[in-house]
Amino acid sequence: MLIDLHTHSTASDGTDAPGQVVADAAAAGLDVVALTDHDTVAGWPDAAAAARANRIALVRGAELSAQAVFEAEGRERHVSVHILSYLHDPADAPLAQECERVRTARLDRARRMVDLLARDYPVDWDEIAAHTEPGATVGRPHLADALVRLGVVPDRSAAFETVLHAGSPYYVPHYAPRAVDTVRRVREAGGVPVFAHPAASVRGRTVPDDVIEELADAGLAGLEAHHRDHTPDQVDHLVGLAARLGLLVTGSSDYHGAGKPNRLAENTTAPEVLERIEDMGTLAVIRS
Ligand code: AMP
Ligand code: FE
Ligand code: FE
Ligand code: ZN
């Protein structure tokens, strides 16, 4: 039983349509796949239709942008984190409204980054919008693709290492709610909150264990320990921390189509963990 609980489509920053991601998941030999686009559930209907057509089970999810706020060395730190939400009610107003707020903030932020980039590169917002699925959650990957089309960089990864890096002069942050509030909102919407790639230092600063403990107190259900952005030592540490805090352990690919080297099923989640997630979530897993 192969279960991959973290993928992206053109509803956010993946390169394939939601139905294509699900079809490719079936072709990759997966029995269960979750679609977890950033801050949106727009891909769910297309993914559900493809799940039925391709005889693969679908977990409806999302990856929510948030920030952990904590004290370290006498200073208040704000670290960007991602909280996966599984099987929540998409009609829950507080959660849906917060996603909408983040998507709007991301759109505004992308336009501001394009304004800054346009001082040095011939990027054009209308050209980027034309290459973006209407209503999609916009992120730096969409700007990276524009830079690739212009020949400024060879691929998304190169863009993230240079002009789109969080330390670059073209970088602009965007609004995101506090992670403890996100965890509570997901629970109130009947969802199952799992901390995505909690130790992925390649993406920027990460949070100390006591922040994860606070999130667990707020209702966090699991840690995505098995992820390509973690070293073997980090995986061991997270598995131990999850055991200590009574959290589930998941593993996933974080597939983005052609936009990232991550391959479907490269990390997977145990069937008994999915059972627990399904027990906790308000929606059912779609099984054909
Ligand atoms: P943003 O949320 O707009 O700040 O952009 C971050 C997103 O870009 C993440 O969710 C990843 O999906 C993607 N990303 C981060 N690093 C890379 C990379 N090196 N190559 C491709 N995509 C990346
Ligand atoms: Fe992404
Ligand atoms: Fe993420
Ligand atoms: Zn992701």
Side-chain angles (χ1 to χ4, degrees), residues 41-66:
V41 298
W44 285 9
D46 186 37
R52 293 186 179 102
N54 290 277
R55 305 210 150 270
I56 180 171
L58 175 71
V59 176
R60 288 164 286 179
E63 186 178 20
L64 307 176
S65 309

Side-chain angles (χ1 to χ4, degrees), residues 74 98 113 130 190 202:
E98 192 59 34
M113 284 188 71
V202 287

Side-chain angles (χ1 to χ4, degrees), residues 6 8 38 63 82 196-197 203 227 254 256 260:
H6 185 165
H8 296 267
H38 298 283
E63 186 178 20
H82 288 168
H197 43 70
R203 304 180 66 259
H227 186 285
D254 203 353
H256 282 68
K260 271 184 154 182

